Amino acid sequence: KTTVVCPFFIATGMFEGVNAKYPLLLPILKPEFVASKIISAVRCDQQVLLMPIILHLVTLLRGILPIDICADLLDWFGILDTMETFKGRVEK
């Protein structure tokens, strides 16, 4: 059995500096929240776990809209710019 886990960015050093244009729609996820959701999904034999839940809508729209419109929506929501302030894990 497999559970496919597709989170948005997680607030770890790996994604340091990443910013979302609309954090209420696409929040940077807390590791504890993600871990809890993964454990629940595995225990329930859930096949796919998308986080946050709005990613289900993105998946649906990607399947029914032309690629040009999908690209415009990604741009409007700021998805294409989330890595502009990316720093990554700081070496100690």
Side-chain angles (χ1 to χ4, degrees):
K1 296 181 182 182
T2 302
T3 299
V4 177
V5 179
C6 303
F8 192 57
F9 297 117
I10 303 170
T12 64
M14 183 174 176
F15 297 107
E16 188 67 38
V18 170
N19 288 312
K21 184 175 180 180
Y22 299 107
L24 290 177
L25 290 177
L26 292 167
I28 307 300
L29 303 170
K30 295 184 178 179
E32 299 81 10
F33 171 77
V34 174
S36 172
K37 289 292 192 178
I38 291 170
I39 290 168
S40 295
V42 169
R43 286 182 175 160
C44 295
D45 292 328
Q46 187 174 335
Q47 292 182 350
V48 177
L49 174 62
L50 300 174
M51 295 177 283
I53 199 156
I54 195 166
L55 292 183
H56 288 278
L57 178 62
V58 172
T59 303
L60 173 69
L61 292 177
R62 193 182 70 199
I64 62 175
L65 294 176
I67 193 69
D68 293 343
I69 293 176
C70 289
D72 289 342
L73 285 172
L74 289 174
D75 188 36
W76 187 80
F77 277 106
I79 303 298
L80 303 177
D81 299 322
T82 55
M83 297 296 282
E84 291 294 321
T85 55
F86 175 73
K87 297 174 188 156
R89 189 176 305 277
V90 178
E91 292 190 32
K92 296 177 182 180

